[in-house]
Amino acid sequence: MMRIGIALSGGGIRALVFHLGILARLAAENRLEEIRFISTVSGGSLCAALVFSATNYQWPSSAGFRDEVVPYLRDLLTTEDLQRQLLWKILLSPRYLFRGRANALSELLERTWKIEGRLPDLPDQPRWIINATCHETGKRWRFEKKRMGDYAFGQVEYPDIAISQAVAASSAVPFAIGPLTLDTRPYKWCRYGNNQTLEASKPPEKRIHLWDGALYDNLGVEALVKMGEQYRNDEVDFLVVSDASPSLVSQSYWPWQRRVRRLYDITSNQVQAIRTREVMNRLKRRDPPGGYFKIGRSAKYIFEQCGREEEIAQVKSSMLSDAEIIWARDMGLSLRKLSMSEFDCLFKHGFEVANFTLFAYNSHEFSLLSS
């Protein structure tokens, strides 16, 4: 039996549904039960939160995911328009412009998407880390069942905090939502001392501001592997990285506000490119084995990259068209309601990318399935 570690990238509703397709492909061969570690950012955090909330905060079986979770989430995401509700909430309550729009998002996740659990409600396995970025320290801030914090600010053991707050912090996209403000005073903070034991500490700030985890690592892979170091060998021996982040495209010169956004996008893209190359090099060495699933890739591209072009004919008749793949890749960053055809396209694309990639690079472990 494998011990699978899975990283789910950011990318809004596009990423959320693409990741569901990836999970569905693993479920098709009863592999969800083998997932030991989940690391998520932004849209990936929204995806994992919805999966957990749909199953009363227990990780679903493969059969339960296929038969119950996917139909439920398809109905939810094609019915509720979270983006429109967020806009109305901010317009009707201007205090969120100062308090933080991510706090409004947290309330909507709880009320509209029924993400009502708290971190202590999560199971011990699989271990789920929700990644955000701390404005005050500039470090990766993590939420999980057993702890919250970063090594510079300090941490809280077994924090009693709403999952919706953690996910909203992870999804707090700059220029669109803004940071989640977290009051540090209700919690008992600690740090690792010189002898690597936890010691009580006083938080350096009364409030902290948590941004989108994509600012630090949009793939969410650092929780699984640090640059130049080993994977979590005690927990993971097969790595899955689902990447639904947008590609950087050419853009005309804009006034200063757009220029700031453009510089942020360029910097984020370059940081992610470095992390992606590190992951790809390790996967090519099979150190350990796994799969990198990138939105926008076709069967032709995947099979040509691994020198198995002759096998494209096996799947050509049933796969998405090039136009549908391009639409999925280029869908904008949003939290809007999807039509059923949009949901199905994104979901099927995730399933297909995982299906083709797993078979192309790990055919001794995974079959080529019909979509």
Side-chain angles (χ1 to χ4, degrees):
M1 179 178 288
M2 289 182 177
R3 296 176 300 170
I4 298 174
I6 185 165
L8 304 178
S9 79
I13 202 81
R14 175 190 64 236
L16 194 168
V17 182
F18 181 79
H19 297 328
L20 288 175
I22 300 293
L23 293 173
R25 173 57 187 86
L26 294 174
E29 289 193 68
N30 298 315
R31 300 284 189 170
L32 289 192
E33 290 82 352
E34 299 177 8
I35 294 178
R36 297 290 181 267
F37 199 105
I38 307 169
S39 175
T40 63
V41 176
S42 193
S45 298
L46 292 167
C47 176
L50 283 175
V51 171
F52 275 113
S53 67
T55 53
N56 197 27
Y57 303 99
Q58 298 300 309
W59 188 242
S61 66
S62 293
F65 181 82
R66 295 191 303 265
D67 300 338
E68 299 174 17
V69 175
V70 171
Y72 166 72
L73 295 184
R74 183 176 186 265
D75 179 68
L76 176 70
L77 297 174
T78 57
T79 302
E80 298 290 350
D81 194 324
L82 199 66
Q83 183 163 286
R84 179 175 294 181
Q85 292 184 49
L86 179 61
L87 178 61
W88 275 111
K89 192 174 184 67
I90 293 168
L91 290 174
L92 294 174
S93 302
R95 62 192 174 91
Y96 288 113
L97 292 173
F98 305 98
R99 182 184 170 208
R101 295 184 294 277
N103 296 79
L105 175 60
S106 170
E107 293 172 14
L108 283 176
L109 291 174
E110 188 167 341
R111 187 187 74 197
T112 304
W113 280 7
K114 306 302 180 184
I115 300 173
E116 299 170 337
R118 306 184 74 79
L119 290 180
D121 297 330
L122 293 171
D124 292 329
Q125 187 174 291
R127 182 180 172 189
W128 178 26
I129 288 185
I130 306 165
N131 297 285
T133 305
C134 181
H135 171 87
E136 282 74 12
T137 65
K139 307 299 182 184
R140 177 174 68 92
W141 186 278
R142 66 182 185 183
F143 295 92
E144 58 176 309
K145 179 176 182 175
K146 294 183 178 181
R147 62 182 59 89
M148 168 184 76
D150 68 39
Y151 71 86
F153 192 91
Q155 62 181 332
V156 176
E157 292 191 286
Y158 293 94
D160 184 16
I161 188 170
I163 293 172
S164 62
Q165 281 189 285
V167 171
S170 181
S171 307
V173 180
F175 312 105
I177 296 178
L180 181 124
T181 303
L182 184 67
D183 190 340
T184 64
R185 290 170 292 184
Y187 304 101
K188 294 182 179 179
W189 294 86
C190 55
R191 292 173 181 267
Y192 280 102
N194 294 330
N195 57 357
Q196 292 301 302
T197 58
L198 285 172
E199 301 173 356
S201 65
K202 182 180 179 180
E205 303 282 348
K206 293 180 180 179
R207 291 180 179 83
I208 52 170
H209 302 83
L210 302 174
W211 294 92
D212 184 0
L215 283 167
Y216 192 88
D217 171 19
N218 194 39
L219 291 181
V221 295
E222 183 161 314
L224 294 164
V225 59
K226 293 185 181 295
M227 297 290 287
E229 298 180 16
Q230 294 297 312
Y231 290 101
R232 293 179 175 272
N233 295 330
D234 58 331
E235 297 176 76
V236 172
D237 51 32
F238 192 90
L239 177 67
V240 168
V241 179
S242 180
D243 182 5
S245 56
S247 300
L248 192 68
V249 297
S250 299
Q251 187 179 97
S252 300
Y253 195 72
W254 287 86
W256 73 271
Q257 289 177 316
R258 293 286 186 92
R259 292 204 301 269
V260 172
R261 172 64 184 270
R262 179 64 172 174
L263 291 173
Y264 160 74
D265 289 341
I266 292 170
T267 303
S268 298
N269 182 265
Q270 290 304 305
V271 170
Q272 180 171 328
I274 293 170
R275 294 186 184 278
T276 300
R277 284 194 290 271
E278 169 77 6
V279 169
M280 291 297 294
N281 287 336
R282 287 176 176 270
L283 291 176
K284 287 177 181 178
R285 298 195 306 266
R286 298 185 63 79
D287 178 29
Y292 171 69
F293 310 138
K294 175 64 176 174
I295 196 169
R297 290 188 172 173
S298 64
K300 182 175 184 293
Y301 177 90
I302 293 167
F303 283 116
E304 284 180 348
Q305 287 295 301
C306 67
R308 300 178 68 164
E309 298 93 331
E310 70 283 355
E311 297 180 70
I312 297 173
Q314 298 181 47
V315 298
K316 199 167 185 179
S317 61
S318 62
M319 65 187 183
L320 292 174
S321 67
D322 289 343
E324 289 172 315
I325 293 172
I326 291 171
W327 174 85
R329 181 196 68 192
D330 294 343
M331 178 187 170
L333 183 68
S334 75
L335 294 174
R336 67 173 177 82
K337 178 179 70 174
L338 299 175
S339 69
M340 289 188 177
S341 61
E342 288 175 329
F343 180 97
D344 293 342
C345 181
L346 287 165
F347 181 86
K348 185 175 183 181
H349 184 40
F351 187 100
E352 288 185 347
V353 170
N355 189 30
F356 303 149
T357 305
L358 287 171
F359 176 73
Y361 292 94
N362 299 277
S363 54
H364 59 293
E365 292 282 358
F366 292 91
S367 305
L368 184 62
L369 305 179
S370 58
S371 56

Coordinates of all heavy atoms in Angstrom, one line a residue, residues 24 56 75 95 97 122 154 213 220 248 272 288 308:
A24 N -10.9 12.4 -7.8 CA -11.8 11.3 -8.4 C -11.0 10.3 -9.1 O -11.3 9.1 -9.1 CB -12.8 12.0 -9.4
N56 N -18.7 15.1 7.3 CA -18.7 15.3 8.8 C -17.3 15.2 9.3 O -17.0 14.7 10.4 CB -19.6 14.2 9.5 CG -19.9 14.6 10.9 OD1 -19.9 15.8 11.2 ND2 -20.1 13.6 11.8
D75 N -23.7 20.0 -7.1 CA -24.9 20.8 -6.8 C -24.6 22.1 -6.1 O -25.1 23.1 -6.5 CB -25.9 19.9 -6.0 CG -27.2 20.6 -5.7 OD1 -27.9 20.9 -6.7 OD2 -27.4 21.0 -4.6
R95 N -17.8 48.0 7.2 CA -16.8 47.7 8.2 C -15.8 46.7 7.7 O -14.7 46.7 8.2 CB -17.4 47.3 9.5 CG -18.2 46.0 9.4 CD -19.1 45.7 10.6 NE -19.9 44.6 10.5 CZ -19.6 43.3 10.9 NH1 -18.4 43.1 11.4 NH2 -20.4 42.3 10.7
L97 N -14.4 46.6 4.9 CA -13.3 47.2 4.2 C -12.1 47.5 5.1 O -11.0 47.6 4.7 CB -13.8 48.5 3.5 CG -14.9 48.3 2.4 CD1 -15.4 49.7 2.0 CD2 -14.2 47.6 1.2
L122 N -11.0 17.7 13.0 CA -10.4 17.0 11.9 C -9.8 15.7 12.4 O -9.4 15.6 13.5 CB -9.2 17.9 11.2 CG -9.7 19.1 10.5 CD1 -8.5 20.0 10.1 CD2 -10.5 18.7 9.3
G154 N 5.8 32.1 16.5 CA 5.4 31.1 17.6 C 4.2 30.3 17.1 O 3.7 30.4 16.0
G213 N -1.9 31.9 0.9 CA -0.7 31.1 1.0 C 0.1 31.1 -0.3 O 1.3 30.8 -0.3
G220 N 1.9 24.7 -2.6 CA 1.7 24.0 -1.3 C 2.7 22.9 -1.0 O 2.4 22.0 -0.2
L248 N 1.6 32.9 -16.6 CA 1.9 34.3 -16.8 C 1.8 34.6 -18.3 O 2.5 34.0 -19.1 CB 3.2 34.7 -16.3 CG 3.5 36.2 -16.1 CD1 2.6 36.8 -15.1 CD2 5.0 36.4 -15.8
Q272 N 7.3 30.3 -8.1 CA 6.6 29.0 -8.3 C 7.4 28.2 -9.3 O 7.5 27.0 -9.2 CB 5.2 29.2 -8.8 CG 4.5 27.9 -9.1 CD 3.0 28.1 -9.4 OE1 2.4 29.0 -8.9 NE2 2.5 27.2 -10.3
P288 N 10.9 10.5 -4.2 CA 10.3 9.2 -4.6 C 9.4 9.4 -5.8 O 9.4 10.5 -6.4 CB 9.4 8.9 -3.4 CG 8.9 10.3 -2.9 CD 10.1 11.2 -3.1
R308 N 5.8 8.2 -25.2 CA 4.8 7.2 -25.4 C 3.7 7.6 -26.4 O 2.5 7.4 -26.2 CB 4.2 6.7 -24.1 CG 5.3 6.2 -23.1 CD 4.8 5.8 -21.8 NE 3.9 4.6 -21.9 CZ 3.5 3.9 -20.8 NH1 4.0 4.2 -19.6 NH2 2.8 2.9 -20.9

